[in-house]
Amino acid sequence: MTHPIARIVNLVSPESQRLWGTSAADAQRRLLASDASAALEIDGSFTLVAQDGEKVMLARSLDRPLRYFLAKAADGPVLIVAERIDEIAAELGRRGWAGQFHPSYTRMVPAHHVTTLRLVGCPDPNPVHRRFFDPPRGTLPGDLDLIGRHYIEAVYGELRRWLVAQEPAAPIGVSFSGGIDSGAILLCLYRLLLNEGQSPARLKAFTLAVDGGGEDVRQASAFLARTDLEMLGEIIDVPSSALDPLRAVAVIEDYKPLDVECAAVNLALLAGIRDRYPAWRLLVDGDGGDENLKDYPIEENSELTIRSVVNNRMLYQEGWGVDSIKHSLTYSGGYSRGCVRSYACAREHGFVDFSPYTRPSVIAVAEAIPFAELTAGSHERLYALKGEIVARGVRAVLGLEMPVFPKRRFQHGALSAGDAARLFPQDEAHYRRHYQTLHAAAV
């Protein structure tokens, strides 16, 4: 049986691109520019492919995945591009090339880079990654009021640009725990709608409760009460049986325990919203906020020190970098890998998800913060910074006093104390084995 050979098979739906103020054709032209920094001018949420003869350029925004696989055909190499690994496997099967597939042979385009491939046949070409986003580090003074104002101005600005691109009057949901990131987003959106002359009744703050419990419900309620926004709150209560970490593995196509747990509770929240509101489309969340302000417990990762966290460029956003031994070719690193916990879950339930914290303008402010100077080697100072910066920024930009509560992971806040350990096995090998069974038939 013969198969038509297309040198590039792009499985990414054109309708999934969320470009602001530019066309797909113009975005592709920027991708082909000799200066990779031209890609930074592509606004919105995107996964792009452009071709110039035998050269193919690929790029994506931080908030969504883009994967590729180089297949062998008698007529030459065929590049298959998709958002998901299982889509690549299915396409190879349709073309009679299933024997070439293994999930570890797929590659993820690293965020903030233009990846260039040459379709030249055997041997496989090595991709070249050219960085298009490289914000200067530590350039702001150590004034927390100034830092906070710049940070929240950037968040507010990105939300405003996103809002302009949406359908007027479409309802907007916020995945809301009452924590620092989702709290700032809710307040920004509320004030933004008022400033734009629109009704804040478009907004809902959705909080997940599992079996009626979890600290997030109490925290969210307290936040809304202290900001006089109780009318926006809505609790999505689900049974613990709705949390299925193995299904989460299949949805995000990954096996890192914290991402699996987060995806499992996110899927439960989104399923609950979808059941209640069949036509709802727009969601905003706080993903990326912890990465920007380095608010992760260093003590839980033996590979990290406070020096590595504050001194490495975009460590939590990108991992150790594309040139490092630790960088995963199949998955990328940092939030560049973890973006699927939001994007894939939203896609699974038919939502369009957005977080301003993943936008370059916001990350640029975060990278300009002099973390080393402000923390002086202290973990406690580092963990206290986020609340200080965001609350001061909200006060300066919005004129509102934002409650600040202790940090809590999404999957822990939605559950009663002790339930996380019962529902989520802390065993990466368990999730990895399940992930491998998903493609066992294909390989």
Side-chain angles (χ1 to χ4, degrees):
M1 180 179 179
T2 60
H3 301 270
I5 302 298
R7 299 184 72 82
I8 301 177
V9 179
N10 186 358
L11 302 177
V12 179
S13 168
E15 289 72 29
S16 74
Q17 309 294 345
R18 309 293 171 195
L19 295 169
W20 305 342
T22 188
S23 66
D26 182 60
Q28 288 172 328
R29 281 193 293 271
R30 295 180 189 275
L31 212 60
L32 294 171
S34 57
D35 184 356
S37 64
L40 189 57
E41 300 171 8
I42 304 172
D43 259 347
S45 176
F46 58 85
T47 50
L48 295 172
V49 182
Q51 185 173 11
D52 179 14
E54 67 181 25
K55 290 194 301 183
V56 181
M57 286 79 161
L58 306 101
R60 66 180 175 100
S61 49
L62 176 63
D63 61 337
R64 58 194 296 178
L66 181 62
R67 296 180 166 92
Y68 62 96
F69 182 98
L70 196 63
K72 304 289 196 306
D75 297 37
V78 179
L79 184 67
I80 300 175
V81 181
E83 291 180 340
R84 296 184 55 84
I85 294 172
D86 57 14
E87 291 173 342
I88 292 174
E91 181 65 19
L92 289 168
R94 281 192 292 269
R95 292 172 175 267
W97 302 333
Q100 297 186 33
F101 176 78
H102 192 279
S104 66
Y105 296 164
T106 64
R107 295 289 179 260
M108 175 82 92
V109 175
H112 301 151
H113 292 75
V114 175
T115 295
T116 302
L117 286 167
R118 295 177 65 238
L119 299 184
V120 294
C122 295
D124 284 350
N126 283 321
V128 175
H129 306 295
R130 295 180 297 152
R131 177 175 290 280
F132 65 78
F133 177 50
D134 190 12
R137 305 187 66 248
T139 56
L140 285 172
D143 179 341
L144 295 184
D145 288 316
L146 179 68
I147 292 170
R149 178 167 59 80
H150 281 308
Y151 190 69
I152 296 302
E153 281 177 343
V155 171
Y156 184 92
E158 291 297 339
L159 284 168
R160 185 177 186 277
R161 293 167 69 227
W162 171 82
L163 184 66
V164 168
Q166 309 311 314
E167 179 184 346
I172 301 168
V174 176
S175 299
F176 185 70
S177 67
I180 294 169
D181 293 319
S182 63
I185 282 175
L186 186 70
L187 295 179
C188 282
L189 278 171
Y190 178 74
R191 181 54 56 86
L192 173 61
L193 289 171
L194 290 175
N195 289 346
E196 297 293 312
Q198 300 184 33
S199 171
R202 291 177 66 182
L203 273 180
K204 273 196 183 297
F206 293 113
T207 303
L208 180 66
V210 178
D211 292 332
E215 285 299 317
D216 278 359
V217 172
R218 287 179 282 276
Q219 179 174 281
S221 176
F223 186 104
L224 295 173
R226 288 167 62 177
T227 54
D228 294 322
L229 295 176
E230 296 101 320
M231 68 286 191
L232 301 183
E234 186 161 338
I235 295 171
I236 303 294
D237 199 344
V238 304
S240 57
S241 59
L243 303 183
D244 186 349
L246 297 186
R247 176 171 176 253
V249 169
V251 171
I252 68 173
E253 300 186 304
D254 207 342
Y255 46 78
K256 292 294 183 180
L258 291 175
D259 287 330
V260 171
E261 295 169 14
C262 183
V265 294
N266 195 21
L267 285 167
L269 172 63
L270 298 179
I273 299 172
R274 177 57 70 221
D275 287 344
R276 198 170 294 181
Y277 299 101
W280 203 291
R281 181 171 169 269
L282 300 179
L283 289 179
V284 184
D285 67 34
D287 240 15
D290 284 335
E291 285 79 0
N292 289 350
L293 298 182
K294 305 183 188 300
D295 193 25
Y296 282 113
I298 297 169
E299 301 83 0
E300 293 182 4
N301 190 331
S302 61
E303 296 184 347
L304 297 180
T305 66
I306 190 168
R307 290 185 63 186
S308 64
V309 168
V310 302
N311 290 322
N312 278 277
R313 173 181 55 194
M314 292 183 278
L315 177 66
Y316 285 138
Q317 291 93 344
E318 298 183 1
W320 297 103
V322 297
D323 296 323
S324 71
I325 291 175
K326 293 180 180 180
H327 181 76
S328 171
L329 300 177
T330 304
Y331 289 104
S332 191
Y335 189 76
S336 180
R337 173 178 188 159
C339 65
V340 292
R341 68 189 182 222
S342 287
Y343 184 81
C345 295
R347 173 178 145 159
E348 181 78 2
H349 287 288
F351 293 103
V352 176
D353 188 59
F354 173 68
S355 171
Y357 299 117
T358 65
R359 299 290 300 141
S361 70
V362 179
I363 297 173
V365 175
E367 284 295 288
I369 297 171
F371 283 101
E373 171 192 329
L374 290 170
T375 59
S378 167
H379 291 203
E380 290 70 26
R381 290 185 190 179
L382 177 62
Y383 303 150
L385 269 182
K386 181 178 175 182
E388 283 283 328
I389 288 170
V390 175
R392 291 174 188 232
V394 166
R395 184 184 305 123
V397 177
L398 306 180
L400 300 172
E401 293 297 323
M402 188 183 86
V404 174
F405 299 99
K407 175 181 170 58
R408 188 184 303 111
R409 294 186 188 276
F410 182 21
Q411 58 266 43
H412 297 154
L415 305 171
S416 297
D419 278 355
R422 175 176 62 86
L423 294 170
F424 301 123
Q426 288 295 306
D427 181 3
E428 181 176 316
H430 172 68
Y431 296 137
R432 187 192 291 261
R433 285 192 298 270
H434 180 70
Y435 168 77
Q436 290 168 343
T437 66
L438 300 177
H439 293 295
V443 300

PDB file of all heavy atoms in Angstrom, residues 20 82 275 318 344 356:
ATOM      1  N   TRP A  20      -3.077  37.378  19.127  1.00  0.00           N
ATOM      2  CA  TRP A  20      -3.654  38.691  19.394  1.00  0.00           C
ATOM      3  C   TRP A  20      -3.057  39.706  18.422  1.00  0.00           C
ATOM      4  O   TRP A  20      -1.849  39.950  18.419  1.00  0.00           O
ATOM      5  CB  TRP A  20      -3.336  39.155  20.814  1.00  0.00           C
ATOM      6  CG  TRP A  20      -3.751  38.212  21.896  1.00  0.00           C
ATOM      7  CD1 TRP A  20      -4.645  37.182  21.806  1.00  0.00           C
ATOM      8  CD2 TRP A  20      -3.267  38.201  23.236  1.00  0.00           C
ATOM      9  NE1 TRP A  20      -4.761  36.536  22.998  1.00  0.00           N
ATOM     10  CE2 TRP A  20      -3.925  37.139  23.902  1.00  0.00           C
ATOM     11  CE3 TRP A  20      -2.358  38.976  23.939  1.00  0.00           C
ATOM     12  CZ2 TRP A  20      -3.693  36.846  25.239  1.00  0.00           C
ATOM     13  CZ3 TRP A  20      -2.131  38.684  25.270  1.00  0.00           C
ATOM     14  CH2 TRP A  20      -2.786  37.639  25.920  1.00  0.00           C
ATOM     15  N   ALA A  82       2.476  17.894  16.531  1.00  0.00           N
ATOM     16  CA  ALA A  82       1.210  17.759  17.239  1.00  0.00           C
ATOM     17  C   ALA A  82       1.347  18.317  18.641  1.00  0.00           C
ATOM     18  O   ALA A  82       2.456  18.577  19.128  1.00  0.00           O
ATOM     19  CB  ALA A  82       0.781  16.291  17.304  1.00  0.00           C
ATOM     20  N   ASP A 275     -20.252  20.207  33.968  1.00  0.00           N
ATOM     21  CA  ASP A 275     -21.566  19.627  34.261  1.00  0.00           C
ATOM     22  C   ASP A 275     -22.577  20.711  34.614  1.00  0.00           C
ATOM     23  O   ASP A 275     -23.748  20.641  34.226  1.00  0.00           O
ATOM     24  CB  ASP A 275     -21.462  18.635  35.424  1.00  0.00           C
ATOM     25  CG  ASP A 275     -20.779  17.339  35.013  1.00  0.00           C
ATOM     26  OD1 ASP A 275     -20.657  17.077  33.794  1.00  0.00           O
ATOM     27  OD2 ASP A 275     -20.369  16.576  35.909  1.00  0.00           O
ATOM     28  N   GLU A 318      11.796  27.089  32.941  1.00  0.00           N
ATOM     29  CA  GLU A 318      12.419  26.325  31.850  1.00  0.00           C
ATOM     30  C   GLU A 318      13.227  25.121  32.317  1.00  0.00           C
ATOM     31  O   GLU A 318      13.730  24.363  31.483  1.00  0.00           O
ATOM     32  CB  GLU A 318      13.346  27.246  31.046  1.00  0.00           C
ATOM     33  CG  GLU A 318      12.643  28.404  30.374  1.00  0.00           C
ATOM     34  CD  GLU A 318      13.613  29.243  29.542  1.00  0.00           C
ATOM     35  OE1 GLU A 318      14.810  28.901  29.492  1.00  0.00           O
ATOM     36  OE2 GLU A 318      13.162  30.231  28.933  1.00  0.00           O
ATOM     37  N   ALA A 344      -3.739  20.751  28.882  1.00  0.00           N
ATOM     38  CA  ALA A 344      -4.351  19.493  28.456  1.00  0.00           C
ATOM     39  C   ALA A 344      -5.652  19.230  29.203  1.00  0.00           C
ATOM     40  O   ALA A 344      -6.607  18.688  28.632  1.00  0.00           O
ATOM     41  CB  ALA A 344      -3.371  18.334  28.667  1.00  0.00           C
ATOM     42  N   PRO A 356      -2.106  34.979  32.989  1.00  0.00           N
ATOM     43  CA  PRO A 356      -1.212  36.094  32.659  1.00  0.00           C
ATOM     44  C   PRO A 356       0.206  35.877  33.166  1.00  0.00           C
ATOM     45  O   PRO A 356       1.151  36.499  32.663  1.00  0.00           O
ATOM     46  CB  PRO A 356      -1.870  37.293  33.351  1.00  0.00           C
ATOM     47  CG  PRO A 356      -2.656  36.693  34.476  1.00  0.00           C
ATOM     48  CD  PRO A 356      -3.156  35.386  33.944  1.00  0.00           C
TER      49      PRO A 356
END
